[in-house]
Amino acid sequence: MAQVKNLLFDLGGVLVDLWLEKCLDAFHKLGFAGIDKELLDPYYSDGVFGDSELGLVSERELCDYVRREAGDESITDEQINDAYYEFIGEIPDYKLRMLATLKKHYNIYMISNTSSFTYPRIAREEFTKHGLTVNDYFDRIYLSYELHKAKPDAEVFEHILRDAGIKAEETLFFDDAPGNIEAAARLGFQTYLVSPQEDFRSVFPHLNFEE
């Protein structure tokens, strides 16, 4: 770890738990029977949901699509947001404390394939539990809907290196998708593949996270 100066974290599946089946069930209850795991893949969403993560469709366009597919124009934007947000679990308190400790020793960055429909709510509800904001935990945050690019596109990682002024070989990247890990490794990043709901504090045995 002596060579590592920077940490780059994925959001969903690494810091925030993901619950795909709960999300699919919520959309089914709205009448959207045709939604499936390809449209809402935890790694690479397809169709309008994928376009939303790339910032190519607006929140209104996404909601109108869901209403058409459900055959119910009375479904509100709020109901759709709530159904979509069932995908998102909690950030365990220990991970927030972990990030705060890590920031004392490393440059900390976050990259996420996410949409404007869900990310602001995650930032508001999950990163403010200890009286901080999401920006207090990270030096910079990179979001696919703002970049109009998504992992595992190499341009995403190249943009981070240029924008943050960091070196790939000095950066440890945490992600739960093997394809993203492989893409980053090809560019020289050090990588760590995170398992579902894993406590990966053991990666940093030299730090005391209980302080």
Side-chain angles (χ1 to χ4, degrees), residues 111-186:
I111 172 65
S112 180
N113 290 358
T114 188
S115 74
S116 63
F117 205 49
T118 54
Y119 176 75
R121 187 168 172 182
I122 297 171
R124 183 175 66 250
E125 296 185 7
E126 295 302 318
F127 282 97
T128 58
K129 296 175 180 178
H130 296 169
L132 301 175
T133 71
V134 66
N135 293 312
D136 293 319
Y137 290 101
F138 302 98
D139 292 285
R140 299 190 189 186
I141 296 171
Y142 300 94
L143 307 172
S144 60
Y145 71 88
E146 293 180 341
L147 297 175
H148 305 297
K149 299 180 182 69
K151 298 173 294 175
D153 191 331
E155 290 186 19
V156 172
F157 298 104
E158 291 167 348
H159 171 81
I160 292 172
L161 295 175
R162 290 193 306 270
D163 184 74
I166 59 178
K167 297 179 180 180
E169 61 270 21
E170 296 177 345
T171 306
L172 179 58
F173 173 51
F174 293 81
D175 201 285
D176 61 324
N180 296 339
I181 289 290
E182 292 165 7
R186 283 194 293 270

